[in-house]
Amino acid sequence: LAKTTQPISMDSYEGQEVNITCSHNNIATNDYITWYQQFPSQGPRFIIQGYKTKVTNEVASLFIPADRKSSTLSLPRVSLSDTAVYYCLVGDPYNFNKFYFGSGTKLNVKP
Amino acid sequence: DAGVTQSPTHLIKTRGQQVTLRCSPKSGHDTVSWYQQALGQGPQFIFQYYEEEERQRGNFPDRFSGHQFPNYSSELNVNALLLGDSALYLCASSLVAGGLDEQFFGPGTRLTVL
């Protein structure tokens, strides 16, 4: 089971781009990288998933280097409503997983 | 289309009691996972059910058990409750054959053990 390491917290200001990096040194060949967002007293919400290089959707981009031992979630032009905890997960989506959330990164967006 | 629903919303029990939490997955989903989230911590994986069988299990004692019904809904049972079982219990559903590790989470059940 590939575990992940993320910064405990990050601060940013409205309108800035935020990059959150996750380390997953023992990622397996079949593993994908998935990011979730969680607001207080709510269940996590899927943000983005990728295997290699770059993935982009309407809310974020995910950058994965060739060795896949880390990944970076990029949030463009954050707003106050992006204040939340962000989790990086690693696992094989084509098999049953023991999903390990870790402690996540608490992003605090300031006005 | 309803998302993942859980019941009850809140629950208060005393030590030694037993509790059953319920989850209905998102329409079209066939896999249900359960998580325990203590205050200030990330969700901890309890187990996952598919085709009415437990497919994966996290590091939780046998006091935690589950069940999945033919309609894909699921129950989480906890016996002999301890104070440390107080937490938010989250249910997530997904489509195992979808190839996308996107889990949809319910709002959770807040369990307080006194």
Side-chain angles (χ1 to χ4, degrees), chain A:
Chain A
L1 179 64
K3 290 193 175 181
T4 59
T5 303
Q6 303 174 232
I8 295 174
S9 64
M10 295 180 66
D11 290 332
S12 182
Y13 291 92
E14 282 191 292
Q16 288 188 331
E17 178 185 73
V18 171
N19 296 309
I20 306 175
T21 297
C22 178
S23 296
H24 27 80
N25 291 319
N26 59 340
I27 188 170
T29 302
N30 293 334
D31 286 346
Y32 281 63
I33 299 147
T34 311
W35 285 80
Y36 284 83
Q37 174 194 56
Q38 186 177 28
F39 298 110
S41 299
Q42 294 185 25
R45 182 175 70 98
F46 174 90
I47 301 174
I48 196 167
Q49 183 185 65
Y51 183 80
K52 62 180 180 180
T53 62
K54 177 183 176 182
V55 179
T56 298
N57 62 21
E58 63 276 9
V59 298
S61 295
L62 179 59
F63 298 92
I64 305 168
D67 67 4
R68 304 200 326 120
K69 293 183 182 299
S70 67
S71 59
T72 299
L73 174 71
S74 181
L75 304 172
R77 298 179 298 282
V78 295
S79 64
L80 296 177
S81 62
D82 292 317
T83 294
V85 178
Y86 292 82
Y87 296 97
C88 163
L89 281 75
V90 173
D92 182 353
Y94 293 90
N95 287 295
F96 299 106
N97 280 297
K98 295 184 181 184
F99 301 102
Y100 180 75
F101 272 78
S103 298
T105 298
K106 175 69 170 66
L107 174 64
N108 184 30
V109 180
K110 304 175 183 179

